[in-house]
Amino acid sequence: MEAKNTAILLRNREYHSSLTRNFLRKLHVYPPFVERLGLEKELEGHTGCVNCLELTESGELLASGSDDLNAIIWEPLSYKKKCVIATGHTGNIFSIKFLPCTGDRIIATAAADTKVRIHSVEKNETTQVYHCHIGRVKRLAVAPNMPSLVWSASEDGTIRQFDLRQPHCCNSNSKNCNNVLINLNVHSSALAEPKCIAINPLRPNMMAIGCNDPFVRIYDHRMLAKYNLDIRTSGAQNPEDFTLPEGCVTYFAPGHLPPRLTRDFPKKFRTYVATYVTFSPDGSEVLTNMGGEQVYLFDINHPNKPVSYQRLNGTTNGVIDGMQIHPSGGGTNGYTLNGLNGKTPVHVYKSSPYLKGKGLDLDLPPRALHLKTIGNEAFCKQQFLTAVNMYNEALNLAPNSAVLYANRAAAFIKRSWEGDVYAALRDCHKALTLDPNHTKAHFRQARCLYELRWCQEALSCLNHFKERFPDQAEGSAARSLERDIRAAAFAETQEKEPEEPSEPETSGSTRRRRRLSLISDQEKSLRSTSFDYSQRYCGHCNTTTDIKEANFFGDNGQYIVAGSDDGSFFMWDRNTTNLIRVLKGDDSIVNCLQPHPSVCILATSGIDPVIRLWSPRPVDGSGDTRKVDELEAAARANQRRMNADPLEVMLMNMGYRTRLSVAEGSDDESDEFPMACRPN
């Protein structure tokens, strides 16, 4: 059927020019093309790591920036080097942008030397230099139809807006530059370091910021006034003078990460950093590559509140014995189930065509039922990644099946990758929303809360489980879980450090560090009300560089792509979240991935001094030498890499054999070892 539809589109395109756009949207990145994606060409010209790529809106030109301090303009379809621009930077170039509506004649670059520079491609010269920042400038952003505006994100904590139409001089004192749009130092502490920035292509007033924490901040920059950093001239006397206008910013973060910022458990070797943010083609979602974790997709039109557990009682104010019903909108999805009692609002059943009795799947579509059966068999064989993939596909066909959510939760718990336990909690929550009598979902919810070390919530949930299902209360599983929860709660109280006495005057450096890490009350409030993710993509590793990208591939964003520390780049189906392809893109690390706007071509770069172009290869499989066949093995190895001790990773990168390394030809899956990577 799909082949027939394709033929019809091809035929109609010859007669109806209005169908050209429809044809592009459907077949720009077509599943058979993705299945045959392979290396087409290597563009050589740089002598250092290629840290940034940017294609023009038409796709006719490709710009690249490198550690060699040069920017190169390419014609990617003909593999030609158009020109080399000596940028004048004295530090690694981290970002490059074509200014829209300038006929691709002007580019902007940003670098580790704290400078933002504007260059004429035609004249091959630098036309403007901005010295405003005092920290490395990691990313630039531009907006469609706004050729004179450039925004920058710097590790000095500020987001600045440059207007090329206005004269600007900041050589004498950068604090006097009246172009600071956001100063995270006065909100998120003086240790805040913005890493990435993006402008919504369809709603240019919407700006996304990623920082050295797990929060993605989306601002309406129309509500922000520019100012300078000189407090004396600005008249600001304290941080409260920098309070953001009501409603100008919304925070997003994976629901399990903010609690880890204030908890000692589990102890991690790494921090969470949003290394890249980008908006979907239709502007309704934002994608982020979360350093130290996974790739996350956030729905900005219909945001979700994080899942938690709270036993509620009574039947007033919309609360029915443990189930709280919120009005539609505002990110609550109509209602939120916080507990159980067997009573369900009528509208829940009306919206659940696959819900029968106690959540049995008798009415699952045949294909979904077949996928569920395969998933169950994989689970029994302890092939938990395969089980998750099968349940993902089945849920794409039957999104209202409580059994599928409960089964996937069990597979997540057993797989136990980064974020899996919280994902399982979300699935249990969804299963209980669809079927409040689902015994296993309720019990697994308690186990997830315990695994997350939310001990009080776990104990409350387990007690409620015992009340709701007395026949299960005395079972060995329930008793064992209760012992574990109480032991963890006791250990948590024992591990709490006593309050430190007031510090002597000599410990000024410690006091200064603590003062620098203080965040504002408004920031605390925004963090506490942050919205949760809608989709999660697992398999890559992002712990070594802070410029690693994740992007949409396809005119409708049908696929998600991201680079990895193992030298590969990963591709996922956007809807099912299943990993579908892994390709070796670099000898060390893949950082950048930029899709062509109208042709099935993907440009990638990393530590190697080359740019690689990827396109569909011949049907016979020739030219497919960089394909990684063992997707599951690559994904598992990356999950282990994310949790490795930094010292072990350093030794591994130096060529020493560690417990993660493997002798060639080993059959032990636990010893799989991906390609070593070097820090950028």
Side-chain angles (χ1 to χ4, degrees), residues 260 266-270 272 292-294 416-419 541-543 635-646 648-649 659-660:
R260 291 188 178 184
K267 291 181 173 64
K268 295 293 178 182
F269 295 116
R270 62 190 182 278
Y272 302 111
E293 254 268 356
Q294 317 290 4
S416 195
W417 288 1
E418 284 298 316
C541 179
N542 179 12
T543 60
R636 284 200 307 269
N638 277 331
Q639 295 303 305
R640 288 196 298 276
R641 176 186 284 273
M642 274 203 291
N643 288 284
D645 188 312
E648 188 172 14
V649 174
R659 65 180 176 85
L660 289 178

PDB file of all heavy atoms in Angstrom, residues 260 266-270 272 292-294 416-419 541-543 635-646 648-649 659-660:
ATOM      1  N   ARG A 260      17.287  14.842  42.141  1.00  0.00           N
ATOM      2  CA  ARG A 260      18.665  14.400  42.322  1.00  0.00           C
ATOM      3  C   ARG A 260      19.616  15.556  42.618  1.00  0.00           C
ATOM      4  O   ARG A 260      20.723  15.329  43.088  1.00  0.00           O
ATOM      5  CB  ARG A 260      19.152  13.660  41.070  1.00  0.00           C
ATOM      6  CG  ARG A 260      18.470  12.318  40.860  1.00  0.00           C
ATOM      7  CD  ARG A 260      19.131  11.554  39.733  1.00  0.00           C
ATOM      8  NE  ARG A 260      18.499  10.247  39.554  1.00  0.00           N
ATOM      9  CZ  ARG A 260      18.930   9.335  38.690  1.00  0.00           C
ATOM     10  NH1 ARG A 260      19.983   9.587  37.938  1.00  0.00           N
ATOM     11  NH2 ARG A 260      18.317   8.181  38.575  1.00  0.00           N
ATOM     12  N   PRO A 266      20.927   8.659  44.188  1.00  0.00           N
ATOM     13  CA  PRO A 266      22.173   7.901  44.069  1.00  0.00           C
ATOM     14  C   PRO A 266      23.355   8.810  43.735  1.00  0.00           C
ATOM     15  O   PRO A 266      23.195   9.775  43.027  1.00  0.00           O
ATOM     16  CB  PRO A 266      21.891   6.954  42.903  1.00  0.00           C
ATOM     17  CG  PRO A 266      20.887   7.681  42.067  1.00  0.00           C
ATOM     18  CD  PRO A 266      20.061   8.526  43.009  1.00  0.00           C
ATOM     19  N   LYS A 267      24.482   8.535  44.257  1.00  0.00           N
ATOM     20  CA  LYS A 267      25.679   9.336  43.978  1.00  0.00           C
ATOM     21  C   LYS A 267      26.129   9.073  42.544  1.00  0.00           C
ATOM     22  O   LYS A 267      26.251   7.946  42.115  1.00  0.00           O
ATOM     23  CB  LYS A 267      26.787   8.999  44.972  1.00  0.00           C
ATOM     24  CG  LYS A 267      26.481   9.457  46.402  1.00  0.00           C
ATOM     25  CD  LYS A 267      27.617   9.123  47.320  1.00  0.00           C
ATOM     26  CE  LYS A 267      27.407   9.733  48.708  1.00  0.00           C
ATOM     27  NZ  LYS A 267      26.249   9.189  49.398  1.00  0.00           N
ATOM     28  N   LYS A 268      26.415  10.136  41.828  1.00  0.00           N
ATOM     29  CA  LYS A 268      26.814  10.020  40.432  1.00  0.00           C
ATOM     30  C   LYS A 268      28.165  10.676  40.216  1.00  0.00           C
ATOM     31  O   LYS A 268      28.559  11.584  40.929  1.00  0.00           O
ATOM     32  CB  LYS A 268      25.764  10.681  39.522  1.00  0.00           C
ATOM     33  CG  LYS A 268      24.416   9.975  39.558  1.00  0.00           C
ATOM     34  CD  LYS A 268      24.479   8.596  38.956  1.00  0.00           C
ATOM     35  CE  LYS A 268      23.144   7.885  39.036  1.00  0.00           C
ATOM     36  NZ  LYS A 268      23.192   6.524  38.508  1.00  0.00           N
ATOM     37  N   PHE A 269      28.861  10.193  39.207  1.00  0.00           N
ATOM     38  CA  PHE A 269      30.156  10.767  38.875  1.00  0.00           C
ATOM     39  C   PHE A 269      30.018  11.993  37.983  1.00  0.00           C
ATOM     40  O   PHE A 269      30.991  12.657  37.695  1.00  0.00           O
ATOM     41  CB  PHE A 269      31.022   9.730  38.150  1.00  0.00           C
ATOM     42  CG  PHE A 269      31.374   8.550  39.001  1.00  0.00           C
ATOM     43  CD1 PHE A 269      30.935   7.294  38.670  1.00  0.00           C
ATOM     44  CD2 PHE A 269      32.164   8.700  40.130  1.00  0.00           C
ATOM     45  CE1 PHE A 269      31.276   6.191  39.434  1.00  0.00           C
ATOM     46  CE2 PHE A 269      32.504   7.610  40.907  1.00  0.00           C
ATOM     47  CZ  PHE A 269      32.058   6.356  40.564  1.00  0.00           C
ATOM     48  N   ARG A 270      28.835  12.276  37.512  1.00  0.00           N
ATOM     49  CA  ARG A 270      28.682  13.298  36.491  1.00  0.00           C
ATOM     50  C   ARG A 270      27.590  14.289  36.879  1.00  0.00           C
ATOM     51  O   ARG A 270      26.816  14.066  37.806  1.00  0.00           O
ATOM     52  CB  ARG A 270      28.304  12.637  35.170  1.00  0.00           C
ATOM     53  CG  ARG A 270      26.991  11.902  35.239  1.00  0.00           C
ATOM     54  CD  ARG A 270      26.735  11.061  34.003  1.00  0.00           C
ATOM     55  NE  ARG A 270      25.433  10.407  34.079  1.00  0.00           N
ATOM     56  CZ  ARG A 270      25.213   9.286  34.743  1.00  0.00           C
ATOM     57  NH1 ARG A 270      26.191   8.702  35.370  1.00  0.00           N
ATOM     58  NH2 ARG A 270      24.023   8.745  34.785  1.00  0.00           N
ATOM     59  N   TYR A 272      24.416  16.903  35.212  1.00  0.00           N
ATOM     60  CA  TYR A 272      23.469  16.929  34.104  1.00  0.00           C
ATOM     61  C   TYR A 272      23.562  18.276  33.403  1.00  0.00           C
ATOM     62  O   TYR A 272      23.445  19.324  34.034  1.00  0.00           O
ATOM     63  CB  TYR A 272      22.050  16.683  34.621  1.00  0.00           C
ATOM     64  CG  TYR A 272      21.928  15.378  35.354  1.00  0.00           C
ATOM     65  CD1 TYR A 272      21.717  15.337  36.723  1.00  0.00           C
ATOM     66  CD2 TYR A 272      22.058  14.169  34.685  1.00  0.00           C
ATOM     67  CE1 TYR A 272      21.616  14.139  37.406  1.00  0.00           C
ATOM     68  CE2 TYR A 272      21.969  12.966  35.353  1.00  0.00           C
ATOM     69  CZ  TYR A 272      21.748  12.952  36.718  1.00  0.00           C
ATOM     70  OH  TYR A 272      21.661  11.762  37.393  1.00  0.00           O
ATOM     71  N   GLY A 292      24.965  13.389  30.419  1.00  0.00           N
ATOM     72  CA  GLY A 292      24.884  12.518  31.581  1.00  0.00           C
ATOM     73  C   GLY A 292      23.604  11.716  31.634  1.00  0.00           C
ATOM     74  O   GLY A 292      23.409  10.923  32.558  1.00  0.00           O
ATOM     75  N   GLU A 293      22.732  11.888  30.635  1.00  0.00           N
ATOM     76  CA  GLU A 293      21.454  11.174  30.636  1.00  0.00           C
ATOM     77  C   GLU A 293      21.063  10.831  29.205  1.00  0.00           C
ATOM     78  O   GLU A 293      21.913  10.468  28.409  1.00  0.00           O
ATOM     79  CB  GLU A 293      20.392  12.037  31.332  1.00  0.00           C
ATOM     80  CG  GLU A 293      20.032  11.520  32.723  1.00  0.00           C
ATOM     81  CD  GLU A 293      18.845  10.573  32.689  1.00  0.00           C
ATOM     82  OE1 GLU A 293      18.248  10.367  31.609  1.00  0.00           O
ATOM     83  OE2 GLU A 293      18.478  10.071  33.762  1.00  0.00           O
ATOM     84  N   GLN A 294      19.769  10.953  28.888  1.00  0.00           N
ATOM     85  CA  GLN A 294      19.263  10.546  27.583  1.00  0.00           C
ATOM     86  C   GLN A 294      18.851  11.766  26.758  1.00  0.00           C
ATOM     87  O   GLN A 294      19.055  12.906  27.181  1.00  0.00           O
ATOM     88  CB  GLN A 294      18.066   9.594  27.769  1.00  0.00           C
ATOM     89  CG  GLN A 294      18.236   8.536  28.840  1.00  0.00           C
ATOM     90  CD  GLN A 294      19.249   7.449  28.493  1.00  0.00           C
ATOM     91  OE1 GLN A 294      19.905   7.496  27.454  1.00  0.00           O
ATOM     92  NE2 GLN A 294      19.412   6.468  29.365  1.00  0.00           N
ATOM     93  N   SER A 416      16.674  -1.238  33.652  1.00  0.00           N
ATOM     94  CA  SER A 416      17.351  -0.368  34.617  1.00  0.00           C
ATOM     95  C   SER A 416      18.436   0.505  33.996  1.00  0.00           C
ATOM     96  O   SER A 416      19.509   0.674  34.562  1.00  0.00           O
ATOM     97  CB  SER A 416      17.946  -1.200  35.768  1.00  0.00           C
ATOM     98  OG  SER A 416      18.291  -0.366  36.844  1.00  0.00           O
ATOM     99  N   TRP A 417      18.156   1.124  32.847  1.00  0.00           N
ATOM    100  CA  TRP A 417      19.046   2.132  32.292  1.00  0.00           C
ATOM    101  C   TRP A 417      18.758   3.463  32.969  1.00  0.00           C
ATOM    102  O   TRP A 417      17.844   3.581  33.785  1.00  0.00           O
ATOM    103  CB  TRP A 417      18.828   2.256  30.788  1.00  0.00           C
ATOM    104  CG  TRP A 417      19.353   1.092  29.998  1.00  0.00           C
ATOM    105  CD1 TRP A 417      19.963  -0.030  30.482  1.00  0.00           C
ATOM    106  CD2 TRP A 417      19.307   0.936  28.581  1.00  0.00           C
ATOM    107  NE1 TRP A 417      20.303  -0.873  29.461  1.00  0.00           N
ATOM    108  CE2 TRP A 417      19.915  -0.313  28.278  1.00  0.00           C
ATOM    109  CE3 TRP A 417      18.823   1.713  27.542  1.00  0.00           C
ATOM    110  CZ2 TRP A 417      20.032  -0.780  26.967  1.00  0.00           C
ATOM    111  CZ3 TRP A 417      18.939   1.252  26.238  1.00  0.00           C
ATOM    112  CH2 TRP A 417      19.551   0.017  25.963  1.00  0.00           C
ATOM    113  N   GLU A 418      19.556   4.466  32.640  1.00  0.00           N
ATOM    114  CA  GLU A 418      19.342   5.790  33.214  1.00  0.00           C
ATOM    115  C   GLU A 418      17.929   6.287  32.877  1.00  0.00           C
ATOM    116  O   GLU A 418      17.553   6.361  31.704  1.00  0.00           O
ATOM    117  CB  GLU A 418      20.374   6.776  32.680  1.00  0.00           C
ATOM    118  CG  GLU A 418      21.751   6.631  33.281  1.00  0.00           C
ATOM    119  CD  GLU A 418      21.758   6.885  34.775  1.00  0.00           C
ATOM    120  OE1 GLU A 418      21.123   7.860  35.217  1.00  0.00           O
ATOM    121  OE2 GLU A 418      22.398   6.104  35.494  1.00  0.00           O
ATOM    122  N   GLY A 419      17.168   6.632  33.908  1.00  0.00           N
ATOM    123  CA  GLY A 419      15.816   7.136  33.714  1.00  0.00           C
ATOM    124  C   GLY A 419      14.754   6.071  33.560  1.00  0.00           C
ATOM    125  O   GLY A 419      13.559   6.399  33.485  1.00  0.00           O
ATOM    126  N   CYS A 541      25.609   7.914  24.282  1.00  0.00           N
ATOM    127  CA  CYS A 541      26.306   8.333  25.495  1.00  0.00           C
ATOM    128  C   CYS A 541      26.773   9.774  25.313  1.00  0.00           C
ATOM    129  O   CYS A 541      27.415  10.101  24.314  1.00  0.00           O
ATOM    130  CB  CYS A 541      27.502   7.426  25.783  1.00  0.00           C
ATOM    131  SG  CYS A 541      28.436   7.892  27.261  1.00  0.00           S
ATOM    132  N   ASN A 542      26.468  10.622  26.296  1.00  0.00           N
ATOM    133  CA  ASN A 542      26.829  12.035  26.225  1.00  0.00           C
ATOM    134  C   ASN A 542      27.399  12.457  27.576  1.00  0.00           C
ATOM    135  O   ASN A 542      26.687  13.008  28.414  1.00  0.00           O
ATOM    136  CB  ASN A 542      25.599  12.878  25.865  1.00  0.00           C
ATOM    137  CG  ASN A 542      25.914  14.360  25.796  1.00  0.00           C
ATOM    138  OD1 ASN A 542      27.073  14.766  25.799  1.00  0.00           O
ATOM    139  ND2 ASN A 542      24.879  15.179  25.728  1.00  0.00           N
ATOM    140  N   THR A 543      28.669  12.180  27.788  1.00  0.00           N
ATOM    141  CA  THR A 543      29.317  12.571  29.045  1.00  0.00           C
ATOM    142  C   THR A 543      30.653  13.268  28.835  1.00  0.00           C
ATOM    143  O   THR A 543      31.219  13.796  29.791  1.00  0.00           O
ATOM    144  CB  THR A 543      29.575  11.327  29.932  1.00  0.00           C
ATOM    145  OG1 THR A 543      30.422  10.408  29.240  1.00  0.00           O
ATOM    146  CG2 THR A 543      28.280  10.642  30.304  1.00  0.00           C
ATOM    147  N   ALA A 635      24.013  -0.002  22.450  1.00  0.00           N
ATOM    148  CA  ALA A 635      23.239   0.764  23.423  1.00  0.00           C
ATOM    149  C   ALA A 635      23.592   0.355  24.848  1.00  0.00           C
ATOM    150  O   ALA A 635      23.765   1.211  25.726  1.00  0.00           O
ATOM    151  CB  ALA A 635      21.744   0.570  23.165  1.00  0.00           C
ATOM    152  N   ARG A 636      23.722  -0.938  25.104  1.00  0.00           N
ATOM    153  CA  ARG A 636      24.068  -1.400  26.450  1.00  0.00           C
ATOM    154  C   ARG A 636      25.452  -0.906  26.859  1.00  0.00           C
ATOM    155  O   ARG A 636      25.679  -0.493  28.002  1.00  0.00           O
ATOM    156  CB  ARG A 636      24.028  -2.925  26.518  1.00  0.00           C
ATOM    157  CG  ARG A 636      22.632  -3.519  26.577  1.00  0.00           C
ATOM    158  CD  ARG A 636      22.695  -4.934  27.135  1.00  0.00           C
ATOM    159  NE  ARG A 636      23.648  -5.767  26.418  1.00  0.00           N
ATOM    160  CZ  ARG A 636      23.364  -6.521  25.379  1.00  0.00           C
ATOM    161  NH1 ARG A 636      22.119  -6.539  24.904  1.00  0.00           N
ATOM    162  NH2 ARG A 636      24.279  -7.266  24.784  1.00  0.00           N
ATOM    163  N   ALA A 637      26.393  -0.954  25.923  1.00  0.00           N
ATOM    164  CA  ALA A 637      27.750  -0.495  26.229  1.00  0.00           C
ATOM    165  C   ALA A 637      27.760   0.982  26.595  1.00  0.00           C
ATOM    166  O   ALA A 637      28.488   1.413  27.494  1.00  0.00           O
ATOM    167  CB  ALA A 637      28.667  -0.762  25.031  1.00  0.00           C
ATOM    168  N   ASN A 638      26.942   1.777  25.904  1.00  0.00           N
ATOM    169  CA  ASN A 638      26.889   3.210  26.207  1.00  0.00           C
ATOM    170  C   ASN A 638      26.262   3.479  27.567  1.00  0.00           C
ATOM    171  O   ASN A 638      26.644   4.432  28.261  1.00  0.00           O
ATOM    172  CB  ASN A 638      26.104   3.951  25.117  1.00  0.00           C
ATOM    173  CG  ASN A 638      26.974   4.278  23.921  1.00  0.00           C
ATOM    174  OD1 ASN A 638      28.178   4.455  24.046  1.00  0.00           O
ATOM    175  ND2 ASN A 638      26.366   4.353  22.747  1.00  0.00           N
ATOM    176  N   GLN A 639      25.293   2.668  27.966  1.00  0.00           N
ATOM    177  CA  GLN A 639      24.708   2.842  29.294  1.00  0.00           C
ATOM    178  C   GLN A 639      25.742   2.561  30.378  1.00  0.00           C
ATOM    179  O   GLN A 639      25.789   3.244  31.404  1.00  0.00           O
ATOM    180  CB  GLN A 639      23.488   1.927  29.455  1.00  0.00           C
ATOM    181  CG  GLN A 639      22.339   2.259  28.535  1.00  0.00           C
ATOM    182  CD  GLN A 639      21.860   3.683  28.696  1.00  0.00           C
ATOM    183  OE1 GLN A 639      21.530   4.111  29.794  1.00  0.00           O
ATOM    184  NE2 GLN A 639      21.817   4.427  27.603  1.00  0.00           N
ATOM    185  N   ARG A 640      26.604   1.573  30.167  1.00  0.00           N
ATOM    186  CA  ARG A 640      27.664   1.296  31.130  1.00  0.00           C
ATOM    187  C   ARG A 640      28.696   2.426  31.128  1.00  0.00           C
ATOM    188  O   ARG A 640      29.225   2.804  32.169  1.00  0.00           O
ATOM    189  CB  ARG A 640      28.345  -0.037  30.805  1.00  0.00           C
ATOM    190  CG  ARG A 640      27.490  -1.240  31.115  1.00  0.00           C
ATOM    191  CD  ARG A 640      28.340  -2.499  31.155  1.00  0.00           C
ATOM    192  NE  ARG A 640      28.968  -2.774  29.872  1.00  0.00           N
ATOM    193  CZ  ARG A 640      28.378  -3.411  28.866  1.00  0.00           C
ATOM    194  NH1 ARG A 640      27.134  -3.819  29.004  1.00  0.00           N
ATOM    195  NH2 ARG A 640      29.005  -3.629  27.732  1.00  0.00           N
ATOM    196  N   ARG A 641      28.966   2.955  29.964  1.00  0.00           N
ATOM    197  CA  ARG A 641      29.926   4.047  29.868  1.00  0.00           C
ATOM    198  C   ARG A 641      29.440   5.263  30.655  1.00  0.00           C
ATOM    199  O   ARG A 641      30.227   5.950  31.302  1.00  0.00           O
ATOM    200  CB  ARG A 641      30.130   4.435  28.398  1.00  0.00           C
ATOM    201  CG  ARG A 641      31.058   5.632  28.187  1.00  0.00           C
ATOM    202  CD  ARG A 641      31.101   6.038  26.737  1.00  0.00           C
ATOM    203  NE  ARG A 641      31.903   5.128  25.942  1.00  0.00           N
ATOM    204  CZ  ARG A 641      33.212   5.226  25.779  1.00  0.00           C
ATOM    205  NH1 ARG A 641      33.878   6.198  26.371  1.00  0.00           N
ATOM    206  NH2 ARG A 641      33.870   4.375  25.040  1.00  0.00           N
ATOM    207  N   MET A 642      28.142   5.552  30.605  1.00  0.00           N
ATOM    208  CA  MET A 642      27.610   6.716  31.309  1.00  0.00           C
ATOM    209  C   MET A 642      27.808   6.604  32.813  1.00  0.00           C
ATOM    210  O   MET A 642      27.897   7.606  33.508  1.00  0.00           O
ATOM    211  CB  MET A 642      26.118   6.889  30.997  1.00  0.00           C
ATOM    212  CG  MET A 642      25.850   7.667  29.734  1.00  0.00           C
ATOM    213  SD  MET A 642      24.204   8.414  29.703  1.00  0.00           S
ATOM    214  CE  MET A 642      23.169   6.988  29.572  1.00  0.00           C
ATOM    215  N   ASN A 643      27.855   5.381  33.331  1.00  0.00           N
ATOM    216  CA  ASN A 643      27.980   5.180  34.767  1.00  0.00           C
ATOM    217  C   ASN A 643      29.396   4.828  35.195  1.00  0.00           C
ATOM    218  O   ASN A 643      29.614   4.458  36.351  1.00  0.00           O
ATOM    219  CB  ASN A 643      27.026   4.069  35.218  1.00  0.00           C
ATOM    220  CG  ASN A 643      25.582   4.520  35.191  1.00  0.00           C
ATOM    221  OD1 ASN A 643      25.137   5.249  36.057  1.00  0.00           O
ATOM    222  ND2 ASN A 643      24.852   4.101  34.171  1.00  0.00           N
ATOM    223  N   ALA A 644      30.356   4.935  34.279  1.00  0.00           N
ATOM    224  CA  ALA A 644      31.731   4.571  34.593  1.00  0.00           C
ATOM    225  C   ALA A 644      32.403   5.651  35.422  1.00  0.00           C
ATOM    226  O   ALA A 644      32.088   6.839  35.321  1.00  0.00           O
ATOM    227  CB  ALA A 644      32.526   4.327  33.305  1.00  0.00           C
ATOM    228  N   ASP A 645      33.353   5.241  36.242  1.00  0.00           N
ATOM    229  CA  ASP A 645      34.178   6.172  37.011  1.00  0.00           C
ATOM    230  C   ASP A 645      35.008   7.003  36.035  1.00  0.00           C
ATOM    231  O   ASP A 645      35.600   6.466  35.100  1.00  0.00           O
ATOM    232  CB  ASP A 645      35.099   5.372  37.939  1.00  0.00           C
ATOM    233  CG  ASP A 645      35.860   6.270  38.904  1.00  0.00           C
ATOM    234  OD1 ASP A 645      36.437   7.269  38.438  1.00  0.00           O
ATOM    235  OD2 ASP A 645      35.890   5.944  40.095  1.00  0.00           O
ATOM    236  N   PRO A 646      35.070   8.328  36.212  1.00  0.00           N
ATOM    237  CA  PRO A 646      35.851   9.164  35.286  1.00  0.00           C
ATOM    238  C   PRO A 646      37.305   8.709  35.161  1.00  0.00           C
ATOM    239  O   PRO A 646      37.883   8.808  34.087  1.00  0.00           O
ATOM    240  CB  PRO A 646      35.753  10.553  35.917  1.00  0.00           C
ATOM    241  CG  PRO A 646      34.509  10.532  36.723  1.00  0.00           C
ATOM    242  CD  PRO A 646      34.371   9.129  37.232  1.00  0.00           C
ATOM    243  N   GLU A 648      38.382   5.685  35.340  1.00  0.00           N
ATOM    244  CA  GLU A 648      38.390   4.506  34.482  1.00  0.00           C
ATOM    245  C   GLU A 648      38.242   4.899  33.018  1.00  0.00           C
ATOM    246  O   GLU A 648      38.913   4.349  32.142  1.00  0.00           O
ATOM    247  CB  GLU A 648      37.257   3.567  34.895  1.00  0.00           C
ATOM    248  CG  GLU A 648      37.289   2.230  34.185  1.00  0.00           C
ATOM    249  CD  GLU A 648      36.286   1.262  34.762  1.00  0.00           C
ATOM    250  OE1 GLU A 648      35.409   1.694  35.521  1.00  0.00           O
ATOM    251  OE2 GLU A 648      36.382   0.078  34.439  1.00  0.00           O
ATOM    252  N   VAL A 649      37.372   5.873  32.760  1.00  0.00           N
ATOM    253  CA  VAL A 649      37.195   6.341  31.383  1.00  0.00           C
ATOM    254  C   VAL A 649      38.484   6.971  30.868  1.00  0.00           C
ATOM    255  O   VAL A 649      38.883   6.776  29.719  1.00  0.00           O
ATOM    256  CB  VAL A 649      36.023   7.340  31.305  1.00  0.00           C
ATOM    257  CG1 VAL A 649      35.932   7.951  29.911  1.00  0.00           C
ATOM    258  CG2 VAL A 649      34.717   6.655  31.659  1.00  0.00           C
ATOM    259  N   ARG A 659      38.014  -2.771  33.415  1.00  0.00           N
ATOM    260  CA  ARG A 659      36.965  -3.777  33.514  1.00  0.00           C
ATOM    261  C   ARG A 659      35.914  -3.607  32.425  1.00  0.00           C
ATOM    262  O   ARG A 659      35.142  -4.519  32.158  1.00  0.00           O
ATOM    263  CB  ARG A 659      36.285  -3.701  34.880  1.00  0.00           C
ATOM    264  CG  ARG A 659      35.534  -2.399  35.126  1.00  0.00           C
ATOM    265  CD  ARG A 659      34.887  -2.401  36.511  1.00  0.00           C
ATOM    266  NE  ARG A 659      34.246  -1.120  36.782  1.00  0.00           N
ATOM    267  CZ  ARG A 659      33.018  -0.807  36.389  1.00  0.00           C
ATOM    268  NH1 ARG A 659      32.317  -1.681  35.692  1.00  0.00           N
ATOM    269  NH2 ARG A 659      32.499   0.371  36.677  1.00  0.00           N
ATOM    270  N   LEU A 660      35.874  -2.413  31.782  1.00  0.00           N
ATOM    271  CA  LEU A 660      34.927  -2.206  30.694  1.00  0.00           C
ATOM    272  C   LEU A 660      35.462  -2.716  29.363  1.00  0.00           C
ATOM    273  O   LEU A 660      34.714  -2.912  28.420  1.00  0.00           O
ATOM    274  CB  LEU A 660      34.587  -0.715  30.555  1.00  0.00           C
ATOM    275  CG  LEU A 660      33.734  -0.090  31.653  1.00  0.00           C
ATOM    276  CD1 LEU A 660      33.546   1.382  31.360  1.00  0.00           C
ATOM    277  CD2 LEU A 660      32.402  -0.790  31.775  1.00  0.00           C
TER     278      LEU A 660
END
